[in-house]
Amino acid sequence: MTSLAGTGAHWREWLMRHALPLWSEQGFNSAQGLYHERLTWDGTPVSLPQRRLMVQARQIATYCRAGLDGLYDTSAPELAKGLRCLETVERLYWRADDGAGWIFSLAPDGTPASPVRDLYAHAFILFAYAWAYRLTGAPRYRRVARETAEETWQLFALEGEGFRDRVPQANTVRRQNPHMHLLEACLALFEATNEAFYLDQAERLVALASRRFMGPRSGALLEEFDAAWVPLAPPGHNRVEPGHLFEWAWLLGEYRRLAPEAEKGGHLCAMAERLFVFGSTEGCAPDTGLVYDAMTEDGVVFEHSTRIWPQTELLRLLCRRRKDAGEGGDALLSSISTLFFTRYAPARLAGGWIDRLDEGLAPMVDHMPASSLYHIYGAAREIICT
């Protein structure tokens, strides 16, 4: 992969010939109409006590996007599995105990395993419906998405600002991560439906991030807060995940694209730039450019391991910066892309991946999680179009 054009071609071939077929064939339980959460290195499904809504929603969204992008035949049975899965998920997870919202997980026999309502999972089922509607134009997908959105605000919205993570809530800790994915879902739904409701909610989430999630001293995106949105740990000891810095920088760019009138004085662009610069200078290994798992807001890395998803978030953002502003970064993009295929997704896994590597780049896991495909595909579609 000596050029970016060659890099894009390599990603396209890997997706179309290996990754997407693997996860729609070995990764799909045809009898149940649901995706498996994990595969072994040889592609054998791993039996687990629960099947989470979040994983199903991510897979559905990914295959809908692949169909729209022309990377998967929209008439293929494999793509139809994604829409079939959405019907199964709606039947088994939505209001499964006669309460509002979607349950967290199913048991192996298809009965509810956890009745908890989870904001992170609700964000992803909204995201899935956005892409299913874009793919098919079916009005019922738009209708269920809006009903789910209204239930989400009913269940999780706090009296002051922001959202609780779960219902019932085990503690008063507030987290930025589910808010980030709710923003992502709102942007996807606005682009799919042009309903002002979703853009209005996105505006509120961006304002919350600007007001609460950025560390007052460092400007870095913090992960956890107390009930009053005060950072959970003392200054210098709060967790920062570089991958989330890149995700937020990307989403701020998406928000600006969909609501260009919202950018006043360049504050959103400046916030995204700070996130990128801090993440790329403090949160990446100086020798390889790989993204560390976690550091403090002072840039002290305390988890030198590297999961697959932060690498893809950096790759996606580098591609967008290159297209939007003619940014360089070609060497870093090519380097991380090469490491992706040599370290995280070697040919022997035939479309699978190693989710996490230690500081010495040795595997820390013994299985392939399906949930990573959402991140991988998000980067791949940008690289292919670069």
Side-chain angles (χ1 to χ4, degrees):
M1 294 182 286
T2 57
S3 68
L4 290 183
T7 298
H10 187 85
W11 277 87
R12 176 184 287 273
E13 179 182 22
W14 180 76
L15 276 175
M16 296 182 72
R17 294 186 58 187
H18 302 291
L20 291 172
L22 171 67
W23 292 96
S24 68
E25 295 170 11
Q26 291 98 310
F28 188 77
N29 185 323
S30 295
Q32 292 185 328
L34 297 168
Y35 289 96
H36 294 293
E37 289 219 5
R38 294 180 182 178
L39 299 178
T40 63
W41 298 135
D42 65 1
T44 302
V46 177
S47 179
L48 295 171
Q50 295 190 34
R51 194 163 294 183
R52 293 170 294 168
L53 172 64
M54 178 271 290
V55 175
Q56 303 302 315
R58 284 189 176 193
Q59 296 294 77
I60 293 163
T62 296
Y63 281 95
C64 289
R65 296 168 91 187
L68 282 164
D69 294 339
L71 296 176
Y72 224 60
D73 184 355
T74 56
S75 64
E78 287 78 8
L79 183 61
K81 290 176 183 177
L83 297 176
R84 177 190 165 199
C85 179
L86 183 56
E87 293 179 5
T88 303
V89 165
E90 184 180 312
R91 175 169 52 84
L92 296 179
Y93 289 81
W94 193 27
R95 303 168 179 169
D97 54 4
D98 298 324
W102 298 66
I103 64 171
F104 181 76
S105 62
L106 295 178
D109 64 359
T111 59
S114 171
V116 165
R117 270 48 173 183
D118 180 77
L119 179 61
Y120 191 91
H122 277 69
F124 274 108
I125 196 62
L126 286 168
F127 188 67
Y129 273 99
W131 287 101
Y133 179 67
R134 284 190 65 174
L135 177 65
T136 67
R140 67 177 305 275
Y141 292 147
R142 180 172 179 167
R143 175 182 58 78
V144 174
R146 185 57 183 266
E147 288 186 38
T148 296
E150 291 171 356
E151 288 181 332
T152 298
W153 263 256
Q154 171 193 332
L155 287 166
F156 300 101
L158 295 164
E159 288 186 7
E161 53 186 345
F163 297 81
R164 54 179 59 86
D165 287 4
R166 287 189 162 199
V167 177
Q169 181 82 34
N171 53 50
T172 57
V173 175
R174 310 286 182 234
R175 295 175 176 83
Q176 71 77 21
N177 195 15
H179 292 76
M180 178 180 71
H181 289 297
L182 187 58
L183 169 62
E184 178 184 38
C186 286
L187 293 174
L189 282 163
F190 173 69
E191 189 162 23
T193 68
N194 202 37
E195 291 183 31
F197 169 84
Y198 296 113
L199 193 61
D200 290 344
Q201 301 308 323
E203 180 182 10
R204 291 181 174 87
L205 288 161
V206 168
L208 176 67
S210 178
R211 188 168 57 249
R212 296 297 192 182
F213 298 166
M214 308 301 162
R217 188 167 57 92
S218 65
L221 177 82
L222 308 184
E223 292 290 328
E224 296 183 325
F225 307 84
D226 66 16
W229 291 108
V230 174
L232 204 58
H237 297 274
N238 286 282
R239 182 182 182 89
V240 171
E241 296 190 12
H244 285 154
L245 306 186
F246 303 138
E247 278 194 271
W248 267 104
W250 163 271
L251 286 170
L252 290 171
E254 285 290 277
Y255 177 66
R256 289 164 52 222
R257 177 176 68 84
L258 294 171
E261 71 284 354
E263 179 68 293
K264 298 176 182 177
H267 69 291
L268 296 180
C269 185
M271 184 163 67
E273 184 67 15
R274 285 196 304 271
L275 294 173
F276 170 72
V277 171
F278 188 68
S280 58
T281 57
E282 305 295 334
C284 295
D287 52 344
T288 63
L290 291 178
V291 186
Y292 292 126
D293 282 341
M295 60 184 177
T296 69
E297 70 264 48
D298 289 342
V300 178
V301 177
F302 59 86
E303 288 184 10
H304 289 81
S305 53
T306 58
R307 290 192 65 187
I308 196 171
W309 71 263
Q311 321 314 317
T312 63
E313 294 304 327
L314 177 56
L315 285 170
R316 180 174 68 161
L317 185 59
L318 288 171
C319 289
R320 174 58 64 87
R321 289 171 65 87
R322 187 176 187 273
K323 285 189 288 189
D324 286 353
E327 292 281 345
D330 290 8
L332 180 58
L333 196 157
S334 294
S335 173
I336 297 177
S337 184
T338 298
L339 282 169
F340 179 90
F341 287 109
T342 56
R343 293 291 186 171
Y344 295 97
R348 64 181 173 82
L349 295 183
W353 45 78
I354 301 167
D355 184 67
R356 193 175 193 183
L357 304 175
D358 66 17
E359 189 173 2
L361 302 184
M364 297 178 67
V365 291
D366 63 355
H367 64 272
M368 315 175 198
S371 59
S372 301
L373 184 58
Y374 148 82
H375 289 284
I376 293 167
Y377 190 82
R381 72 196 303 252
E382 291 298 319
I383 295 169
I384 290 168
C385 295
T386 296

